């Protein structure tokens, strides 16, 4: 059972009172079509960086089926914009443990919004997950000090 998050508390790292703090939203499947125009550019960036593993259409299909969950970081209130986009998925590993994985996370100014991942962690706990994992570029480790760097993902292109 998936639940929707209410907006999270303002970022304690806001640089000025006039600047709105980023807010995390989980996008319900029913609202996906409303959000797609706002996240298209970021979704294209995810697809481009995936080396052919993801396509925008493929990701949208996963979101529409409810296989993946779409999250956005909104920056700036009513006149704001999408600062980041995050995709998650719930799964059971081979031992039967329920887990949540962050399939991707990309956006602008990560230092202003990575603390909001704690809300995804809390959502995953409410979904009875016991672990949260992600495959990410090494630079993410500096933003997530509570996460252990346990593995490195190596790959070789076999088409060349």
């Amino acid at each position: 059972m998936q639940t929707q998050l209410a907006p999270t508390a303002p970022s304690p790292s806001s640089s000025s009172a006039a600047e709105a703090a980023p807010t995390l939203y989980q996008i319900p499947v029913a609202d996906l079509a409303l959000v797609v125009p706002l996240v298209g550019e970021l979704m294209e960036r995810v697809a481009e960086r995936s080396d052919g593993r993801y396509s925008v259409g493929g990701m949208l299909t996963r979101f529409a089926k409810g296989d993946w969950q779409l999250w956005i970081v909104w920056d700036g209130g009513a006149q704001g914009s999408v600062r980041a986009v995050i995709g998650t998925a719930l799964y059971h590993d081979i031992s039967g443990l329920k887990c949540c994985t962050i399939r991707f996370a990309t956006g602008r100014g990560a230092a202003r919004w990575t603390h909001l991942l704690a809300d995804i962690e809390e959502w995953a706990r409410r979904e009875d997950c016991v672990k949260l994992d992600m495959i990410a570029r090494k630079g993410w480790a500096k933003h997530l000090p509570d996460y252990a760097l346990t593995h490195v993902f190596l790959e070789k292109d076999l088409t060349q």
Side-chain angles (χ1 to χ4, degrees):
M1 174 181 184
Q2 294 179 17
T3 55
Q4 182 179 352
L5 265 188
T8 60
S11 167
S13 61
S14 292
S15 57
S16 74
E19 186 178 351
T23 307
L24 180 69
Y25 294 94
Q26 183 183 16
I27 306 304
V29 172
D31 294 340
L32 191 59
L34 299 172
V35 175
V36 168
L38 303 174
V39 299
E41 186 177 315
L42 289 170
M43 300 278 293
E44 288 174 16
R45 190 182 319 167
V46 171
E48 288 168 7
R49 290 183 179 168
S50 76
D51 197 27
R53 287 185 175 90
Y54 294 167
S55 68
V56 173
M59 289 184 283
L60 292 175
T61 297
R62 296 280 176 113
F63 294 133
K65 288 182 174 180
D67 296 337
W68 289 6
Q69 301 78 41
L70 178 62
W71 306 77
I72 63 168
V73 176
W74 185 257
D75 201 12
Q79 299 301 315
S81 62
V82 176
R83 178 171 283 270
V85 62
I86 303 161
T88 60
L90 302 177
Y91 70 96
H92 287 87
D93 70 13
I94 199 157
S95 70
L97 294 177
K98 189 171 183 183
C99 305
C100 178
T101 189
I102 296 176
R103 303 294 303 190
F104 62 83
T106 193
R108 303 178 277 110
R112 285 202 65 223
W113 56 264
T114 52
H115 70 280
L116 297 173
L117 294 179
D119 295 319
I120 294 176
E121 295 167 10
E122 185 55 38
W123 169 81
R125 282 184 195 97
R126 289 193 309 270
E127 294 293 325
D128 298 322
C129 294
V130 296
K131 296 207 181 269
L132 187 140
D133 58 50
M134 68 187 299
I135 295 175
R137 291 180 292 144
K138 245 176 150 176
W140 273 97
K142 71 182 174 199
H143 294 293
L144 303 170
D146 294 342
Y147 285 65
L149 182 61
T150 62
H151 295 76
V152 175
F153 183 72
L154 301 173
E155 69 178 305
K156 180 177 182 179
D157 185 345
L158 298 176
T159 63
Q160 297 178 7

